[in-house]
Amino acid sequence: MPRAVYVLAFGVFAMVTSEFVVAGLMPQMAHGLHATIPQIGYLITAFAAAMAFGGPFLTVALLKVPQKRALAILFAVFLAGNVLAATASTYAVMLVARLVTGVASQAFFGVALSLCAQLTRPEVRGRAVSVALNGLMLGTLLGLPLATYIGDRLGWRAAFWVVSALAVLAAAATLAGVPNLPGGTGSGQLRTEFRVFRSARLWLTLSTSTLVIGATFAAFSYLNPILTGISGFGAGTVPLLLVAYGAATVVGNMVVGRLADRHTLTVLLVGLALNSLFLLGFALFAQLSAAAVLCMLGIGLVGVTMNPAMAVRVQRRANAGALVTSVHTSFITLGIIVATSVGGVAIDAYGLRAPLWLGLALAVAGIATLVPDLLERGKNTVTVSEEPEPVAVRV
């Protein structure tokens, strides 16, 4: 595996830590910015919305820029957003800072995952994506607890300064460890990047990713209140359970990364089926502490860890260009927005188990989006490993 892939994983880790930092410091930030807890919660929504809807536009603006230079620009924008957050004196300034960092993060994911595809052979691209996305899993496992710990001890502003320092280190590592690729995207290739979006099957493929992540985050976003309010765990135990969840995502990501290239469709089908069973079990038996923990860990193993298989499937349907990758990441983020917003409304209407039932419905819908590909594979008697190789687009 090229060293550059591991360097990009470090960049992903910095971005994800910034994304999660608000969730761990809500009370402190609410006090410091003279805001309410719901208002601080909206900062998470704003970050996700900026990723989903703003990231692709920034990616388009950088399509003709050589990718190493594009990454440097994105690190600079991301750093500016975090410094603004660390020094924010009002809620409005903090909101702007979160929008800036959200847009930069999304574009970074698009360029970075496209680079992973271009730097590796087609038969190991799923594994390369899984290595890069270990930064995402480690952000869940280590980044959030680290930021929360620093914020508790030194104040919430210190957490943003630490993320800024991580960004500087990641940028330096990227400049030193990522190779220069020739040129930017030419006008012909740029048209090719846009042309693939005419495919209805591509949009269906993208929707699968929305549903996979939506199903997972419907449960993950509300694990704390579910585990304390239904399963009976104390508030002090929940952080340990979340660390165990993060460890499960790391393990699952490594397994899926090994299988994603040769068994893409099968991995997604099995993952969604298992996630459905775990979500169903969680919804039915959340009052049983052992069953709740088992189902929670199962969701960690087969939920967000489907990312490498999702990325390979999208690349095969379209290409490995930065624009397609960025739009795919937007669809993933859309799943988070749907899960958290609808899940919150569902809790108000039906109680704490409601997000789990929502997650189950999204997972079943995700399986339904796989049916056309499953029928096509059965009709042609073609295995997943015999799917055509993705076309790498130089950006």
Side-chain angles (χ1 to χ4, degrees):
M1 191 63 58
R3 180 181 62 177
V5 175
Y6 295 95
V7 171
L8 293 171
F10 184 29
V12 171
F13 174 77
M15 302 282 172
V16 170
T17 301
S18 176
E19 179 181 0
F20 288 165
V21 67
V22 171
L25 298 171
M26 281 190 173
Q28 300 94 318
M29 292 182 64
H31 180 266
L33 294 171
H34 307 290
T36 65
I37 292 294
Q39 285 176 321
I40 299 301
Y42 294 148
L43 295 175
I44 300 174
T45 304
F47 189 100
M51 288 184 69
F53 304 111
F57 290 100
L58 182 54
T59 303
V60 169
L62 295 173
L63 279 177
K64 292 187 177 182
V65 178
Q67 290 182 325
K68 187 172 181 177
R69 187 184 305 168
L71 289 174
I73 293 171
L74 292 172
F75 272 121
V77 175
F78 177 77
L79 178 61
N82 275 284
V83 170
L84 184 62
T87 57
S89 58
T90 66
Y91 179 83
V93 174
M94 177 60 74
L95 180 61
V96 171
R98 297 305 285 169
L99 292 173
V100 170
T101 49
V103 171
S105 296
Q106 174 76 346
F108 179 87
F109 290 153
V111 176
L113 296 184
S114 176
L115 259 173
C116 287
Q118 296 179 51
L119 293 172
T120 53
R121 302 186 309 276
E123 64 270 18
V124 296
R125 283 176 180 166
R127 184 179 170 189
V129 169
S130 76
V131 170
L133 288 179
N134 265 333
L136 170 62
M137 310 308 163
L138 291 174
T140 306
L141 177 62
L142 301 175
L144 176 57
L146 175 63
T148 303
Y149 177 82
I150 291 172
D152 284 340
R153 298 300 186 276
L154 302 176
W156 63 267
R157 295 183 188 276
F160 284 99
W161 284 118
V162 168
V163 172
S164 299
L166 284 175
V168 171
L169 291 174
T174 299
L175 292 175
V178 174
N180 284 308
L181 294 182
T185 300
S187 58
Q189 289 178 320
L190 185 59
R191 286 193 296 271
T192 299
E193 288 255 26
F194 282 102
R195 192 179 300 125
V196 297
F197 292 102
R198 298 176 183 175
S199 168
R201 290 290 291 275
L202 174 59
W203 293 105
L204 184 64
T205 300
L206 292 169
S207 71
T208 302
S209 299
T210 298
L211 294 166
V212 169
I213 299 304
T216 303
F217 270 81
F220 173 73
S221 301
Y222 299 100
L223 280 178
N224 195 326
I226 292 171
L227 292 172
T228 55
I230 300 179
S231 305
F233 290 101
T237 306
V238 172
L240 298 177
L241 294 175
L242 293 179
V243 169
Y245 176 93
T249 65
V250 173
V251 173
N253 185 63
M254 290 190 295
V255 173
V256 172
R258 293 284 182 175
L259 300 174
D261 292 295
R262 293 183 58 82
H263 307 287
T264 311
L265 196 58
T266 301
V267 166
L268 288 171
L269 178 61
V270 172
L272 279 166
L274 289 175
N275 208 9
S276 298
L277 290 175
F278 288 127
L279 286 163
L280 176 62
F282 206 172
L284 291 175
F285 305 112
Q287 73 279 7
L288 304 176
S289 57
V293 171
L294 177 63
C295 292
M296 179 197 71
L297 294 178
I299 293 168
L301 283 170
V302 299
V304 70
T305 56
M306 293 296 108
N307 263 303
M310 286 156 30
V312 169
R313 184 167 177 248
V314 168
Q315 289 173 5
R316 286 175 175 162
R317 183 68 64 192
N319 58 53
L323 180 59
V324 170
T325 306
S326 182
V327 170
H328 181 214
T329 310
S330 290
F331 271 75
I332 290 172
T333 306
L334 181 61
I336 299 174
I337 295 172
V338 170
T340 54
S341 58
V342 178
V345 173
I347 287 176
D348 289 337
Y350 303 106
L352 285 172
R353 296 179 195 257
L356 302 174
W357 292 112
L358 170 64
L360 174 60
L362 293 173
V364 172
I367 293 174
T369 64
L370 297 177
V371 170
D373 281 2
L374 292 169
L375 292 176
E376 181 179 341
R377 186 175 71 172
K379 180 180 178 180
N380 296 328
T381 62
V382 178
T383 64
V384 175
S385 61
E386 292 170 323
E387 294 178 16
E389 295 180 355
V391 178
V393 177
R394 291 288 181 184
V395 178

